[in-house]
Amino acid sequence: MPAIFILIMSLALADSLSGQKEASLAYAVLDFDGTPLSRAFDSQLGNLDLLNKSAPPSSEADARLQVRDQKTAFVIVIPQGFANQIGSNQPPELRLLIDPAVPGMVRNGFRQHVEAAATRVWLTQILEHLRQRMMLPVAEPAGAPEISIESVSNNDTAAAAPPSSVQQSVPAWLIFSMFFVVIPISAVFIGERQCGTLQRLRAQRVPFSLVLAGKFVPFVLVNQMQAVVMVAIGRWLVPLCGGEALTLPGNAAALMALSMLSLAVSVAAVGWALLIASFARSSEQATILGGVGNILMGAIGGIMVPRYVMPAAMQTWTHISPMDWALEGFHEVMLRQGGFTDILPAICSLVCFGLAALAAAAFLNHRATNT
Amino acid sequence: MIRLENLRYRYRPEIPPALDSVSISITRGSIHGLLGPNGAGKTTLISLLAGLLTHREGRITIDGESLDGWRAAHPNAIAQVPQDYAFYPMLTVTENLAFFAGVQGIPRREQQHRCDRALAFSRLETVAGRRAGELSGGLRRRLNLAIGLTGEPEILLLDEPTAGVDSSSRLFLLEAVRQYAAAGRTVLYTSHYMEEVEAVCSDVSIIDHGKVLLAGPVTEVKRGRTLEQVFMELTGHSLRD
């Protein structure tokens, strides 16, 4: 398993570490100016590494839809009159529409690339301007283009500031830690099996489904309490220690959606834990299977390495991990201001995973009883 | 009468059967000793009677009815007291009794009476409020037995009930088994201590390598020898795992 972990992490970080061109991020350009200058800027962007250029959106609404649906991570909006601003006292303005789930590091890197490309085009244009007017006084350039970044959320009524790194990272670690309920559950379950308590219950004709339910319900509640404590730490304790506070959605509907999602994560995590506990023969085996299994799920599911940083081929694999489903759900609510309907697929997937794991645990026990 | 006829059980096809054509008759109301060296098949036999394993070859009947049918009609009538301390060490003695009585589906009002009777029978009243994990070996054995009695079973399967306890606790447990059977209940008793089996059992079956070597009333099986002598003659003197 450690070998598999190393393989996954190496693949996930392949692009970030090598710097080779294996595009995994997509961007698009919405050119309202349509001048040779704006086209030159567009072609300059095409030279950037690590980026795939998507087809240009037909309108700003289409651009926002593309970002919201995660078809593209960035859309650069070149406003009308971009070229005419040359020589004026106003710096040219560019707008960058981004998916709020894009990590800050990637966002800033992209912004720098855009600034560099714009500045290059801009300077070329100014030099040309100077050449043509060699004998005339040179107009003071207005400065490098200014780029404003705007987060694109499901609630598009107002422009939102990009999310902080706390906002992006806390859900990931919250999910990761919730899945580590596998350690206490397997310890309890295997302890009961080894001391003969489970056998005694079976001899007393207690259905195994009832035994599983007796573990499932309390541990889901404990898991939920842990989640609340962790969120409270991010919200109130971290700022006291000088860190940035976790911001929770302001409306009750979003909070309810978040609670439902958190409950679904617990169902998946406890179901998975009971499956590991039923399969493992000893606590040591459960710790290895559960712990390393969680790390692998986290590595594949974008917990340790953000999905945006992974190569394109690797990104498709993230969808097999329940941690990715959970993370997408949290991002939908906490970063994209999504509602219950937006995270319903994630909730359903997580609950189905949890129930399937429980069914598998029951099957393993049934098989063990008859051999 | 509990009848086991041509019972054969195999854990995996590639290994020899744990039980091979076992036929034993256990008279209701008797204490039947089950003797055999380690790996002889005693635990497999008890597990089949307790419903922990399902037999595919042979028959088990109780009062002429199949085991499954009889158990369905008498849900709590068979109880197994395993060799391990099968209870929750973090719970108190009373909580353990209440828990195991509860999961057997005993009505709530009846539960308390059953727990009190089991507590009194095992003389655990003075430690009723103590955590099970804090009890001595002898008290743990008594709690293990008491939990098995909460269902007031007609058939009690005891697997090494005196393993690892001191003489006074052993004597108490043996007397408790006698008392329980005196009320017309059947006890199947496995032990490595021959003198215990001689002391409490009316009948005995000696099994080895999954086969019954000898069965019958203790007095007939002994025929002027000690039970240990008979056992060693039948099973040999080689060391077992």
Side-chain angles (χ1 to χ4, degrees), chain A residues 247-259:
Chain A
T247 310
L248 293 170
N251 61 76
L255 278 175
M256 182 57 73
L258 212 54
S259 306

Side-chain angles (χ1 to χ4, degrees), chain A residues 192 200 203-205 369-370, chain B residues 52 54 56 71 86 88 144:
Chain A
E192 284 188 36
R200 177 167 235 160
Q204 289 181 330
R205 298 165 67 85
T369 311
N370 291 289
Chain B
L52 294 171
T54 309
R56 293 184 186 86
R71 284 192 63 138
Y88 295 98
N144 217 23

Side-chain angles (χ1 to χ4, degrees), chain A residues 299-315:
Chain A
I300 295 170
I303 298 288
M304 291 167 185
V305 180
R307 177 141 57 94
Y308 274 109
V309 180
M310 295 178 183
M314 191 74 196
Q315 285 189 21

Side-chain angles (χ1 to χ4, degrees), chain B:
Chain B
M1 183 74 85
I2 303 167
R3 280 187 196 280
L4 288 73
E5 295 170 80
N6 291 318
L7 203 59
R8 188 178 162 90
Y9 189 85
R10 200 185 273 274
Y11 285 95
R12 287 197 303 272
E14 66 273 17
I15 58 172
L19 292 178
D20 193 2
S21 303
V22 167
S23 295
I24 298 175
S25 295
I26 301 167
T27 312
R28 296 296 299 274
S30 69
I31 304 176
H32 193 106
L34 195 59
L35 290 176
N38 292 334
K42 303 187 294 291
T43 302
T44 304
L45 199 151
I46 281 195
S47 298
L48 286 166
L49 280 168
L52 294 171
L53 296 173
T54 309
H55 66 283
R56 293 184 186 86
E57 291 177 64
R59 260 161 56 91
I60 303 176
T61 57
I62 300 175
D63 300 337
E65 201 174 345
S66 73
L67 177 66
D68 289 343
W70 194 83
R71 284 192 63 138
H74 308 82
N76 299 321
I78 300 180
Q80 185 205 16
V81 177
Q83 188 178 347
D84 298 316
Y85 298 125
F87 47 72
Y88 295 98
M90 295 301 287
L91 299 184
T92 65
V93 169
T94 312
E95 287 167 345
N96 266 296
L97 291 172
F99 172 77
F100 284 101
V103 294
Q104 288 177 81
I106 298 165
R108 191 170 286 273
R109 241 182 303 165
E110 180 62 17
Q111 273 179 36
Q112 188 59 50
H113 299 304
R114 299 268 188 112
C115 291
D116 288 344
R117 283 199 288 270
L119 207 60
F121 186 86
S122 311
R123 292 201 206 150
L124 288 167
E125 300 101 321
T126 53
V127 292
R130 277 175 62 186
R131 282 190 178 182
E134 296 167 357
L135 301 178
S136 66
L139 288 170
R140 286 179 192 211
R141 280 275 161 232
R142 279 147 66 182
L143 175 59
N144 217 23
L145 176 67
I147 290 169
L149 301 180
T150 51
E152 300 190 344
E154 289 181 40
I155 299 167
L156 187 61
L157 310 172
L158 298 175
D159 194 0
E160 305 275 351
T162 59
V165 298
D166 60 25
S167 300
S168 57
S169 290
R170 178 175 296 168
L171 288 173
F172 170 79
L173 285 164
L174 294 178
E175 186 51 37
V177 171
R178 268 196 217 99
Q179 270 184 40
Y180 198 75
R185 279 115 171 197
T186 310
V187 177
L188 183 61
Y189 190 100
T190 76
S191 178
H192 282 115
Y193 301 109
M194 305 294 160
E195 69 279 10
E196 275 183 17
V197 175
E198 275 191 81
V200 297
C201 298
S202 52
D203 301 282
V204 66
S205 295
I206 298 174
I207 64 171
D208 196 12
H209 298 300
K211 289 177 186 291
V212 177
L213 304 179
L214 189 62
V218 173
T219 47
E220 283 184 25
V221 167
K222 280 164 60 181
R223 295 191 181 201
R225 297 163 293 175
T226 64
L227 200 53
E228 186 158 13
Q229 284 171 328
V230 178
F231 181 82
M232 295 308 279
E233 277 172 25
L234 289 168
T235 61
H237 293 265
S238 58
L239 282 173
R240 301 294 175 91
D241 293 336

